[in-house]
Amino acid sequence: MNAPRILVISPNWIGDAVMAQPLLRLLRAAHPAHAIDVLAPPAVSPVWRQMAEVDEVLETPFRHGALQLRERWKYARLLRRRGYDQAYVLPNTIKYALIPWLAGIQRRVGYKGESRHGLINVMHHDETPPRPMVAFYAALAGAPVAAQDPAARAALPRPRLVASAAQIAAVCARTGIDPARPLVAFAPGAEFGGAKRWPARHFAGLGQAILANGPSTQIALLGSPKDKQACAEVAAGMPAGAAVFNLAGATSLAEAIALIAHASAVVANDSGLLHIASALNRPVVALYGPTDPDHAPPFSDLAASISLRLDCSPCRQRECPLGHQNCMVQMEPELVWHSLRPMLA
Ligand code: SF4
């Protein structure tokens, strides 16, 4: 007889997927005989492949934002044949809750979200203020409760990803990064919007301080194709001849994960790559402007969260409604260097 299977439906954001990893650890511990599969968008699936608890990653064939009812119904029929007996629906939308319902999966766990009565039959409700993201997802492993026990919340496992030595060696060889020299990774992008981005000239100023302190250090600029311009501006502000690798849009997400796993330290905006660095337990400096540094903090053993905590922060807007983005502009490179320097010692 085949092993019973659990289906986890992934959030659509990389950082959220990372912060859902403790849920998988709890599910693995509670259901040791089950296989755990994850259904994820192609842009997020590489993150799940770096999690030891996942048996198989299935990629969603749906277009972002589209309901595609017929396609969901067809896909649900495929899932029905795989024999899942429970599903954990991490996105809050109806369209993702439809899939396990159409697939006839008996136990369908999730938050109420878009009033998903019936589609979700083990329904959780969030607290006010909202739970931190790790606690939000991890709560789905247990029975619905009105308020999480603070001690249990504090004892939750941290998100953890793994990257193999072979993955690291392969990406170093392909990009020309010398694995024997120190590497600092910058993540100057932020998919959510421009307000979250520390200015390129500040990243460049920090890079200059790193290189003055350790001339053999290499700096990798990581990001998606959308971050090419921001990374090009950072690279343009670096000293000529410095070992700066502008890799925005030039690596797969799996390769970026491997480079981060190899880095001595990572400096990142509040973005998916920040949470990847944290889950790989790399020393990380996290830069927060319009978002709350306490909502999704880094979990590395060595981590610093920097936020100027202006009166207008956190506004949680994609672009600065005041037009000046002072939460990031006034965060000088010296302030970040002060946190980063001891990590490189
Ligand atoms: S309103 Fe304040 S917190 Fe929001 S982006 Fe502008 S400066 Fe930053």
Side-chain angles (χ1 to χ4, degrees):
M1 190 176 147
N2 291 337
R5 303 189 86 84
I6 291 173
L7 180 68
V8 175
I9 300 186
S10 168
N12 288 314
W13 295 88
I14 288 169
D16 289 356
V18 172
M19 283 181 282
Q21 191 267 346
L23 166 65
L24 269 73
R25 282 178 67 177
L26 297 174
L27 293 178
R28 167 62 68 224
H31 307 283
H34 277 67
I36 301 179
D37 295 348
V38 176
L39 179 64
V44 177
S45 60
V47 173
W48 295 103
R49 292 197 174 95
Q50 305 300 137
M51 294 186 192
E53 297 79 9
V54 177
D55 287 281
E56 200 171 331
V57 179
L58 313 170
E59 293 195 348
T60 50
F62 316 118
R63 290 191 308 278
H64 182 63
L67 179 58
Q68 293 185 283
L69 198 51
R70 178 186 290 265
E71 285 75 7
R72 276 171 213 273
W73 181 72
K74 272 204 232 162
Y75 198 75
R77 282 204 308 190
L78 291 177
L79 291 177
R80 187 184 283 264
R81 292 204 281 275
R82 292 177 66 90
Y84 297 104
D85 63 7
Q86 42 188 312
Y88 293 79
V89 185
L90 276 45
N92 275 335
T93 52
I94 284 180
K95 59 180 186 277
Y96 280 105
L98 270 172
I99 296 167
W101 180 72
L102 289 169
I105 300 174
Q106 221 170 22
R107 189 167 185 272
R108 304 178 299 276
V109 184
Y111 283 92
K112 179 182 168 196
E114 296 178 339
S115 282
R116 303 182 293 180
H117 298 282
L119 297 179
I120 297 292
N121 59 8
V122 180
M123 186 171 279
H124 291 244
H125 298 267
D126 201 5
E127 297 171 47
T128 307
R131 294 168 187 167
M133 292 306 291
V134 167
F136 178 79
Y137 291 129
L140 298 177
V145 290
Q148 267 176 329
D149 172 12
R153 181 182 287 183
L156 284 172
R158 302 174 187 183
R160 282 290 175 255
L161 301 179
V162 287
S164 69
Q167 284 178 304
I168 294 168
V171 69
C172 285
R174 195 182 75 72
T175 57
I177 288 174
D178 181 348
R181 285 168 58 187
L183 176 72
V184 175
F186 286 176
E191 180 94 12
F192 181 73
K196 275 187 170 185
R197 292 190 179 165
W198 200 39
R201 66 179 185 281
H202 287 353
F203 269 108
L206 180 67
Q208 289 164 19
I210 292 169
L211 295 169
N213 181 65
S216 67
T217 304
Q218 306 165 102
I219 296 179
L221 309 176
L222 302 177
S224 73
K226 291 179 191 161
D227 304 320
K228 274 185 179 175
Q229 191 187 336
C231 288
E233 287 173 29
V234 177
M238 298 288 200
V244 176
F245 296 80
N246 182 359
L247 299 175
T251 65
S252 66
L253 180 55
E255 287 178 319
I257 291 172
L259 281 176
I260 289 172
H262 180 60
S264 308
V266 179
V267 182
N269 299 326
D270 179 12
S271 63
L273 293 183
L274 163 67
H275 299 295
I276 284 171
S278 166
L280 289 163
N281 201 21
R282 301 318 304 145
V284 62
V285 182
L287 311 176
Y288 294 88
T291 50
D292 180 356
D294 301 325
H295 186 57
F299 292 93
S300 312
D301 294 336
L302 262 182
S305 295
I306 301 181
S307 166
L308 298 183
R309 296 187 187 264
L310 303 183
D311 288 346
C312 54
S313 172
C315 69
R316 300 188 185 87
Q317 300 298 309
R318 289 175 188 265
E319 301 299 334
C320 178
L322 303 179
H324 51 55
Q325 203 209 356
N326 279 346
C327 57
M328 285 305 209
V329 170
Q330 292 181 347
M331 190 186 288
E332 295 291 338
E334 291 74 21
L335 180 68
V336 179
W337 176 233
H338 182 75
S339 293
L340 178 63
R341 186 175 189 167
M343 295 180 183
L344 299 177

